[in-house]
Amino acid sequence: MIGGIRFLLNDSDVLTDVAPGTLALDFLRRDKRLVGTKEGCKEGDCGACVVLVGELFAGGVEYHPVTSCLLPLGELHGKHLVTIEGLNRHALSPVQQAIVDTGGSQCGFCTPGIVMSLTGFLLDPETRKDARGCKNALGGNLCRCTGYASLIRAGRQVLQKIGGNNIFTNEFSENATVQMLIEQQVLPAYFQSIPARLKNIPAKVQRRDRATPYCLVAGGTDLYVQKGDALANLNVHLLSRQSGLKQIKLSEKRVHIGPLTTFEAFARHPIINQSIPDIQKYSHYNASWQVRNRATIGGNIINASPIGDMTALLLALESDLVFRAGRKQRTVALKSFFTGYKLFDKAADEILTDVIFPVPDAGSKINFEKVSKRQTLDIATVNSGIKIVADGALIRKVELSMGGVAPIPLFLKKTCDFLRNKRVMPEYILQANDIAQSEISPISDVRGSSEYKRLLVRQLLIAHFTKLFPELIQVRAFYEAH
Amino acid sequence: MKHIDAAAHTRGESQYVDDSPQPLGLLHVAVLGSPLAHGKILSIEIEDALQCDGVITIVLAGDIPGENQIGAIIPDEHLLAEKEVFYVGEPVAIVVAENFAQALQAKNKIQVQIEELSAVTDPRAAFANGQIIGTPRTFVFGDVENAWKQCDLIVEGRCDMGGQEHVYLETQRARAVPLENGAMRLYASTQSPYAVQRTVAGILGLPHHKIEVDVKRLGGGFGGKEDQATAWSCLAALAAWKTGKPVELVLPRHEDMVMTGKRHPYSSDFKIGLSAQGKILAYDVKHYQNSGAAADLSTAVLERTLFHSTNAYFIPNTRIFGACCRTNLPPNTAFRGFGGPQGMFVMESAIAKAAEQLNIQREEIQRRNLLCENDIFPYGQHAHEARAEKTWAEAENSFALPGLKERVAQFNQNNFEKKKGYAVMPICFGISFTTHFLNQAGALVHVYTDGSVSVSTGGVEMGQGFSTNITRIAAKAFGINQVRVKVESANTTRVANMSPSAASATTDLNGNATINAVTEIVDRLKSLAVSELGLGQKEKLSLKKERLFYAGKDTGWDWKKLVQTAYLNRVDLSAHGFYATPGICFDKQKEKGHPFAYHVYGTALLEVTVDCLRGTYNIDSTKIVHDLGRPLNELIDRGQVEGALAQGLGWMTLEELIFDKRGHFLSNSLATYKVPDVFFMPDDLEINFLQTAPGASGPYGAKAVGEPPFMYGIGLFFAIRHAMRAFNPKADLPFNSPLTPEKVLLQLHPQWGIDAENRRR
């Protein structure tokens, strides 16, 4: 980025010329000595470094909790970065007080991140304001001391204190929420001035300096895990500064997803919820809220991890990818995009500009399965997406993907072909499994033995069909047939 | 009373080692660890690294001015490797640079040539090779050999238990500041300030008094900073000594996970004999502890395994054997429970296997063998105020065990792929350091003329609420308001020769030492008051709510008046208190004695649902009756129970240390090593404190609470196993922990492995 990065850090203006790839966490602790934000793992897994990032949009400023250890500083231009120091008033906020009252802080190291997450939870008009909502909000925060029970009690206490009169409604706009939270003393008063101050920061045009090597970063939630220390010094090109790539729209029975759409925005979007009715459930298992607020659909695809959760789902949805290089544009089917481990059909100068999938037919059934060691906030051992079009018990068409069982996110073409025009019956599904077993090539690694992954492929195949056709077939039948 | 640090914690204002303002010119350190688990060092090439930007110096073993030795119990561990490396991650060199990024960059330029030697990771293989640390131990009680003859059923089996990474959220760290005259001050994240002091002194070749160690708080310890924190302080001190500049060492998470020791994996054999009625008549167990590459605290950990090998049961004939087996893993160390959990897991496994053979419920055997008053532990101590049966009965009644059993059976009848399981888990845990001399503590109490009080002890605040407890104890002992009391950092210049904050005993020992110091000051104040007020008997004076009473009547003096008068009369307002736990002893020759001040008891009920199609599980509920004695602070104590439970549940299920055969740690980040998250814990969690228990020797009758509840988590293994059994009654279910979703699924589908084998042919 040419010129400095300008943003609001709590109640003050910051103009800095540190490299845009610098981690926000390092900038806070090292350069600003704002040490309330803690480093626990530097890979988005513990949440000790959670901060809020506020971004201008039509209704005011929208705040999201994110892990600052995976957040490039350049991303913050024109935004409001809130750390624990920026929430402190003279008296404790209701969130802070509740954690004190319920014994929700022991060693205290994870506590600032937890305060940030719970405050972000209150700031988000769309989160459900109950114990379940509190849990969701803390999905990205590890605490090794408390066992979480006291933190859930803290969440309940906060909601009782400020939510007792149904203060939260879904109609609340972000502006009204901020206002209400200032009145409830959750936020300091300066939050009122933020929208106007952000509007004063001129947009920066990000130009790529072709002389030096660069790295394209979307959400960075995996790139920064892999090479966080190196990226700080590279000329990082931050894609998400390009707001044009974040929209989701319907056009000619096809869903278009801007590749920079975050997991969270994807899962909340009405178009997506119509096409994939259980998307919110799947999303819950795919990443913590704090990471979903940064991870992008396009990043998940281009990162080419064999266990990309969204990629597995999009494979089953028959997605296409649109790439652009200069004025040249080209479309590639996701099924044929991956060519080997972390290898894919994309030229260096091409940028993914659109992810497209056909709106599923009314009769089609969709399911996504993921098994990991810990069910939430974990990487899949095996994941799988499926789309089935059936006439009663007769399968017209199947689109099946499996992640974690090959060097690439795998589309199981032969298995799909076999299942076409078969009836939903255990024997065919078990035969399909035999074919699937020939298509996959899992290796033994830290996420599981190859034998386990092979068994999971079978089990998830059964899970797909028994879940999607409960009136036709039950799990029991597979064990009796065996 | 709330946790005294909590408000500052929630504001992000509590200072950990690297949060306090940095001294000018502070240097940073990166540690180079061995890339191999065993090998001979041929050469270490540092020239390229020295040329890197910002590098000040590189320190190797040869630079150490004192003795290159950090072993706490047995001197068998170098601070920096000399001629040979014994585990992956063993520190070989440190780079000191102006900032951490520079140190890291230079570290990667150091070239170490090592000739690889064969590595051992399996404790049984090490034992067979004679690689034993210390001496194997055997506790014998009754006559096992004779007892087998009376048994109706004899069952044998094997357990393999995984270790556990501590995952304190704050990784290992220390800051060393050189002082005048060759002295050094360390700000360290350690449970053991004195261990740091004496080890740094040894490394630098200085007397102890030249080294000051100050510990304000830890961002979690759990045993992982009892002995394992010492090395990092030593390295920071060594760098500060060599450069003459303040130096900070903070381990990144990945290196912390690779370089530091963990809870010990164990492999054990058991043989149990019972009557047809389910009475356990004999128990023979052999524990092979995977100690890692150096002794660390392993021999003490093993000792506690032996002490707790019969858990909460009375068994008339026992033989308990254990050996510390040296392998090429990082030196394993203390972790909440300190060997106790492993001993209990084997006991519970033996009962589970016997129950299956007798075709009765596991809890029937458990219940019939619970410890009763005056029963004798295998190490000779009599059970005094035994609460095993009482907590069991309370748990059974208050949490409706019969209803739970009925509900589980019903559910399993009505569901095919989802099965429920339950387990009852009684615990009995002995309190005191099993190393006799460690059961001592000192406290230094000052009263200032404004009536405010400063308390220094040897205890370390690591989140467990120690400072809160001491505040309360001191205020209560004086009879003054808690806001007058400030608990200071643990500092080796204020309290000497402190024992580590460990063994659940920190509040017991330091609290009693505090009471002794306070009592001494109060006694002086009372002597003054009787003479000033012209009263007869000192014993009739008491301080309550900051007022001085004589025989129940207000004397008109308050706390401030008392303190100011004392000062003007030149009465000493400071005192040092000392406490040594009375009545404990242990004869290691006979392996008999009275090692524990008292025992903590409790019983948990756990219920799970296993998705047998996918191999995943959910904990539906955990309900506990826990014996606290007279609780000091229920909020703090509840937090200890809930937190320990979470770690116990994690140890049994998700938390899997994966080492390859060459000793490389594969689950070496939080992306691959999974601790419980908020969704893992049961929504339905109830903890009842046993109300009627009389006091123990802890301050004001409180019982220690840090470690015992960890072991409720063991029940989760058996609850999952119970559900698995309902799905596949014939499956071979080995006693291998952690019981990961992978193991659940593969064990439920044994046919799959056979089919796969056939396919391969």
Side-chain angles (χ1 to χ4, degrees), chain A residues 377-446:
Chain A
L377 186 60
D378 196 2
I379 296 165
T381 301
V382 174
N383 57 20
S384 178
I386 196 165
K387 185 172 84 168
I388 305 177
V389 184
D391 265 347
L394 185 65
I395 300 165
R396 291 290 181 204
K397 188 179 169 191
V398 177
E399 301 286 329
L400 173 69
S401 69
M402 292 271 176
V405 294
I408 61 171
L410 193 68
F411 179 76
L412 285 84
K413 182 167 183 311
K414 287 182 197 160
T415 311
C416 293
D417 289 346
F418 169 81
L419 281 166
R420 196 175 304 126
N421 296 324
K422 297 285 189 308
R423 300 183 71 80
V424 176
M425 287 168 66
E427 55 182 297
Y428 293 125
I429 293 159
L430 290 175
Q431 283 173 31
N433 171 54
D434 287 339
I435 296 168
Q437 296 293 332
S438 72
E439 288 192 87
I440 61 173
S441 51
I443 54 167
S444 292
D445 62 14
V446 70

Side-chain angles (χ1 to χ4, degrees), chain B residues 6-184:
Chain B
H9 286 347
T10 64
R11 299 171 65 87
E13 290 169 351
S14 298
Q15 292 184 347
Y16 302 82
V17 167
D18 55 328
D19 290 341
S20 55
Q22 297 183 339
L24 206 62
L26 179 69
L27 301 175
H28 299 263
V29 169
V31 184
L32 177 70
S34 166
L36 294 175
H38 192 197
K40 257 190 221 155
I41 299 178
L42 302 176
S43 67
I44 304 175
E45 194 52 63
I46 61 170
E47 282 313 308
D48 290 352
L50 277 171
Q51 300 310 312
C52 290
D53 274 358
V55 172
I56 307 296
T57 187
I58 291 173
V59 187
L60 302 172
D63 295 312
I64 293 172
E67 199 192 353
N68 184 13
Q69 183 51 246
I70 59 170
I73 299 178
I74 300 169
D76 67 346
E77 190 178 359
H78 290 145
L79 175 63
L80 288 168
E82 287 179 0
K83 296 184 180 119
E84 209 171 327
V85 286
F86 299 97
Y87 63 95
V88 173
E90 178 177 354
V92 170
I94 58 170
V95 180
V96 190
E98 285 167 15
N99 66 47
F100 180 68
Q102 291 167 334
L104 205 57
Q105 219 157 29
K107 181 187 98 169
N108 295 330
K109 298 238 163 102
I110 300 178
Q111 313 247 337
V112 185
Q113 288 221 326
I114 298 175
E115 180 192 329
E116 187 166 5
L117 300 171
S118 68
V120 177
T121 57
D122 171 41
R124 288 179 191 256
F127 184 79
N129 293 343
Q131 286 294 317
I132 297 164
I133 296 171
T135 322
R137 307 266 302 264
T138 308
F139 287 10
V140 176
F141 180 64
D143 183 349
V144 175
E145 289 309 328
N146 231 345
W148 299 128
K149 295 171 209 152
Q150 296 148 35
C151 297
D152 297 310
L153 174 76
I154 297 171
V155 177
E156 294 181 60
R158 169 178 169 152
C159 296
D160 287 279
M161 291 150 274
Q164 185 174 28
E165 161 61 37
H166 301 85
V167 193
Y168 27 64
L169 261 282
E170 176 210 38
T171 54
Q172 303 278 359
R173 59 198 62 193
R175 191 186 278 178
V177 181
L179 305 175
E180 61 186 20
N181 298 325
M184 183 86 69

Side-chain angles (χ1 to χ4, degrees), chain B residues 122-124 126-127 131 133 263-268 286-292 294-295 297-305 321-327 332-333 338-339 342:
Chain B
D122 171 41
R124 288 179 191 256
F127 184 79
Q131 286 294 317
I133 296 171
R263 183 189 298 283
H264 297 76
Y266 273 60
S267 186
S268 307
K286 294 188 182 72
H287 298 292
Y288 301 94
Q289 179 200 63
N290 190 334
S291 314
L297 301 171
S298 291
T299 50
V301 170
L302 181 80
E303 190 173 39
R304 197 173 270 278
T305 302
F321 167 88
C324 299
C325 310
R326 193 189 297 272
T327 63
N332 286 316
T333 193
F338 206 75
Q342 291 94 327

Side-chain angles (χ1 to χ4, degrees), chain B residues 566-588:
Chain B
Y567 176 69
L568 295 174
N569 283 279
R570 301 187 298 168
V571 172
D572 183 1
L573 288 171
S574 297
H576 177 264
F578 182 76
Y579 179 76
T581 313
I584 50 173
C585 61
F586 194 71
D587 181 341
K588 285 197 185 183

